[in-house]
Amino acid sequence: MVMDVSTVTRDSQCQFCIIQLSILYHGSGWHLQRADWSASFSAMNRFLTLSLLLTVAACGDKARKAGGEPGGTLVISTTSDPGTLFPPLRVTIQAKQITEQIYDYLADVGPDLNTQDERTFRLGLADGWRWSNDSLMLAFHINPAAKWHDGKGVTGRDVQFTFALNKNPALAGRFNAELANIDSVTVPDSLTAAFWFHARSPTQFLDASAQLLILPAHQLETIPVDSLIEGPPPPIGTGRFRLRKWNKGASVEIIADTSNFRGRAKLDRVIWSVAPEFTAALTKLFGGEADLFEGLRPENLPELLRHRNLKAIILPGMDYAFLRFNLRDPVNNKRPHSVFGDRNVRRAITLSLNRSAMVRNLLDTFALVPVGPIVRAYPVTDPRVSQLPFDSAHASRLLDSIGWTGRASDGTRTKNGRELAFSLIMPSSSLNRMRLGPLIQEQLHLMGIRVRLEPLESATQSAREAAGAFDASLGGWTMASSPDGIRGAWTTSGIGKGGVNYGAYSDPAFDALIDSALWAGPAKAREKFTMALVVINEDAPAIWLLEPRKIIGIHGRFRTARMRPDAWWVGLADWSIPPVERILRDRLPLGR
């Protein structure tokens, strides 16, 4: 949704009304609530985009504010079981959501996703920290009130144990890259954990404070690593929720830790209810069995708006889809690609694609054209940056100027007897990218460029990309809380074994600017990132196609905390339900 948020207040308790559809702004997201609405879905989108006449109303309406005693149940409909609730081995988004309620970080990223300013981080187990003069040591002081769910106090030893376990090669944990710059953790006293770094880095604070959920040494340190991998014990954490029940493949239930050092959660319980298929999971929301479903698609909104008790929360997206060119020969990666090794060809193809029309065709106003290999949710992203524009006349002249002037019988351009044609691999599991493929094919056909679409299973596509055995691919990235992932995906350091720069794009100027941007302080970071985006957009190693927004369907009785774009569940313990709006399942006693 294209909206100028500077024109409205950031008070999440205010309600904004527009003629037929009411919208509740929520930090960096918008809540859509059903009013008397009967227009078509496309008309709704045009209305939202073109006619956002907002009237602030009912900001002081106490009936809309959470209050009263804690209580209530949130049922989340999801399409997958968490797989594991042991933090070092979690791989699913469901496992991340649940473990981040049960355990704590030392400190966590704030809702603005500012990972460069440690002052914006939310306190977790730590109540303070200090740096050494050379910035190679960072010591966290543990909140002395912090307790494990079994009543034992948290110590620096727990932090030291957590780090050592995650670094243990026998565990094969998921955080080796994030911990690579940390040499060791020492315990100067019982409430202090000191991280010692190999070198200064722009992600030092993030890596030490917010990558590892802290584990209880007293529960786990005597258990062999092999046993932890095969079957870890039930989780004992420090979070504001504790595990109550896990029916594998069906549901996970967590309940409020009533004596938590940061205060009791405002909800009594949260339940993840598993329905393996998208339609079944969505039906749970519309049928009243669930209160929240995070995977709504734009075409689901008309149905949602027919349910007066439901609303949608729209958050800035953390994903982007792109067409990646392979700059190396698919058969011999030591040679340039015979077509895409030419920068002018890549630029001409970029100029040939009407990305705005593609976005409107697929997701209407619920997505944007990316500004580059980054998302707008980051404070360092300047939304005014732009890629090469859609300009088919310029593209045609450019192709003519570099010799692609001949024509085959089907109209495909030729040069020295070679057709301007390529194969485009794409994942059959991605609805958006499967829809993008034919749109790209059609638009490039008009320019005399023939595209062969090659749908593949995701694993097969990933293997082809890693081997460099492709011409071009439709890819997608989900960005984390920090934009430092750009380095591995698009700089020279990401080329080769273990890297994900599958197109082998390499530009020393871009590399240097990304490094400079990641090292820059908050005042200069946006400027440096903008300069880097200008370089890569001019080089056109890829075409950034789609930046979809996240659409969450939720029951209207919930008062939510401000949501972080990359992790809407952060702050779940502060969600609440006014007593007068609670339904039957909200009134179950905590122990049931």
Side-chain angles (χ1 to χ4, degrees):
M1 232 175 291
V2 181
M3 302 181 179
D4 180 4
V5 300
S6 65
T7 62
V8 297
T9 177
R10 298 182 73 87
D11 180 356
S12 64
Q13 297 296 340
C14 290
Q15 183 180 359
F16 301 94
C17 302
I18 52 171
I19 306 177
Q20 291 179 318
L21 191 68
S22 66
I23 298 180
L24 180 63
Y25 182 63
H26 184 280
S28 55
W30 295 83
H31 292 218
L32 274 68
Q33 294 175 289
R34 186 199 185 282
D36 293 328
W37 183 79
S38 58
S40 69
F41 174 53
S42 60
M44 179 191 75
N45 284 334
R46 290 194 296 270
F47 181 74
L48 290 174
T49 305
L50 302 175
S51 306
L52 284 171
L53 306 175
L54 305 180
T55 303
V56 179
C59 288
D61 183 357
K62 291 183 172 52
R64 295 291 301 169
K65 295 183 179 180
E69 69 280 2
T73 297
L74 171 67
V75 179
I76 299 170
S77 183
T78 186
T79 56
S80 178
D81 185 84
T84 181
L85 296 180
F86 187 48
L89 300 181
R90 67 187 186 188
V91 293
T92 67
I93 192 67
Q94 292 81 9
K96 183 173 173 62
Q97 292 168 2
I98 298 167
T99 55
E100 289 184 351
Q101 312 307 319
I102 297 172
Y103 297 92
D104 283 308
Y105 297 104
L106 290 168
D108 200 6
V109 179
D112 291 320
L113 296 183
N114 186 344
T115 58
Q116 296 186 316
D117 187 351
E118 63 199 55
R119 295 170 299 180
T120 67
F121 278 60
R122 300 182 307 114
L123 294 177
L125 288 175
D127 60 8
W129 50 83
R130 61 180 177 83
W131 290 90
S132 63
N133 291 334
D134 61 4
S135 297
L136 293 177
M137 188 278 294
L138 172 61
F140 290 90
H141 185 264
I142 307 299
N143 188 327
K147 297 285 191 296
W148 295 102
H149 291 156
D150 62 4
K152 294 185 180 295
V154 181
T155 69
R157 168 65 186 142
D158 294 311
V159 181
Q160 183 185 52
F161 165 78
T162 299
F163 171 77
L165 178 64
N166 278 272
K167 288 279 280 189
N168 189 330
L171 183 73
R174 308 295 179 184
F175 302 97
N176 287 335
E178 291 82 353
L179 303 179
N181 190 39
I182 302 173
D183 288 332
S184 63
V185 175
T186 59
V187 183
D189 59 66
S190 64
L191 290 178
T192 303
F195 288 75
W196 297 86
F197 299 92
H198 176 71
R200 294 182 62 200
S201 160
T203 62
Q204 279 176 270
F205 189 83
L206 174 70
D207 291 342
S209 67
Q211 300 290 5
L212 299 181
L213 292 168
I214 305 305
L215 304 171
H218 69 277
Q219 181 199 28
L220 303 174
E221 62 185 343
T222 61
I223 302 175
V225 170
D226 288 347
S227 297
L228 290 176
I229 295 172
E230 293 171 6
I236 297 175
T238 56
R240 294 170 69 188
F241 289 98
R242 60 172 72 209
L243 179 67
R244 179 174 182 270
K245 184 170 54 177
W246 180 11
N247 295 325
K248 294 190 176 184
S251 66
V252 178
E253 179 181 349
I254 59 176
I255 59 173
D257 179 43
T258 56
S259 58
N260 193 268
F261 73 102
R262 284 188 289 137
R264 182 205 193 279
K266 294 181 180 178
L267 295 173
D268 280 342
R269 63 180 55 77
V270 182
I271 299 170
W272 280 259
S273 179
V274 180
E277 295 182 352
F278 174 87
T279 301
L282 183 63
T283 299
K284 286 189 175 184
L285 175 68
F286 291 154
E289 295 178 56
D291 302 304
L292 184 149
F293 180 59
E294 66 168 308
L296 284 183
R297 299 168 180 165
E299 58 265 33
N300 303 137
L301 287 176
E303 174 63 23
L304 180 137
L305 290 169
R306 282 192 279 272
H307 297 265
R308 293 182 177 274
N309 57 349
L310 297 179
K311 61 186 178 184
I313 299 175
I314 301 175
L315 296 174
M318 296 300 294
D319 305 332
Y320 66 89
F322 55 92
L323 186 158
R324 184 204 302 274
F325 299 112
N326 189 354
L327 277 57
R328 312 303 299 171
D329 188 301
V331 178
N332 183 351
N333 297 156
K334 295 181 180 180
R335 297 190 309 229
H337 194 283
S338 58
V339 175
F340 300 137
D342 187 333
R343 180 175 184 261
N344 283 324
V345 172
R346 303 194 306 266
R347 288 171 60 86
I349 293 175
T350 304
L351 291 164
S352 299
L353 292 181
N354 188 339
R355 284 139 280 167
S356 295
M358 290 183 190
V359 167
R360 289 194 302 271
N361 184 295
L362 288 178
L363 296 174
D364 210 299
T365 58
F366 293 95
L368 299 168
V369 176
V371 300
I374 199 168
V375 294
R376 289 171 173 80
Y378 294 127
V380 298
T381 303
D382 186 343
R384 296 170 297 180
V385 176
S386 61
Q387 302 179 57
L388 295 174
F390 168 55
D391 189 338
S392 57
H394 183 188
S396 183
R397 292 193 300 270
L398 185 56
L399 290 172
D400 288 345
S401 72
I402 56 178
W404 293 96
T405 54
R407 294 281 178 166
S409 59
D410 63 354
T412 301
R413 288 175 178 267
T414 62
K415 178 181 179 180
N416 299 328
R418 177 192 176 97
E419 292 186 337
L420 185 50
F422 64 92
S423 174
L424 178 62
I425 62 175
M426 54 189 186
S428 56
S429 60
S430 171
L431 178 63
N432 284 339
R433 279 177 273 168
M434 285 296 290
R435 290 175 175 175
L436 277 170
L439 297 177
I440 293 168
Q441 183 183 53
E442 180 183 0
Q443 291 190 19
L444 293 185
H445 174 73
L446 296 175
M447 295 298 299
I449 303 170
R450 181 158 51 85
V451 180
R452 298 181 298 274
L453 300 180
E454 192 175 353
L456 301 171
E457 292 183 353
S458 294
T460 303
Q461 175 171 349
S462 296
R464 289 268 299 271
E465 288 177 320
F470 68 101
D471 288 325
S473 67
L474 277 181
W477 286 118
T478 298
M479 302 293 284
S481 56
S482 167
D484 66 311
I486 294 175
R487 178 184 281 153
W490 300 104
T491 71
T492 307
S493 65
I495 299 174
K497 186 176 180 179
V500 292
N501 183 355
Y502 300 132
Y505 170 64
S506 178
D507 187 314
F510 178 73
D511 294 352
L513 285 167
I514 286 296
D515 283 341
S516 178
L518 291 171
W519 274 100
K524 290 289 185 180
R526 175 178 277 215
E527 175 186 344
K528 298 293 185 181
F529 271 109
T530 296
M531 294 169 64
L533 293 175
V534 169
V535 170
I536 196 170
N537 285 341
E538 289 294 315
D539 283 343
I543 307 171
W544 330 111
L545 300 170
L546 190 68
E547 184 182 330
R549 298 192 184 270
K550 183 158 204 65
I551 308 175
I552 301 171
I554 186 171
H555 195 282
R557 73 187 189 281
F558 288 91
R559 306 297 184 266
T560 60
R562 185 180 175 194
M563 293 183 178
R564 210 171 84 187
D566 68 319
W568 57 264
W569 57 89
V570 172
L572 193 59
D574 290 319
W575 292 23
S576 62
I577 309 171
V580 295
E581 297 184 33
R582 292 177 188 172
I583 61 177
L584 185 60
R585 63 172 167 260
D586 296 322
R587 305 182 187 281
L588 290 174
L590 186 60
R592 290 284 300 277

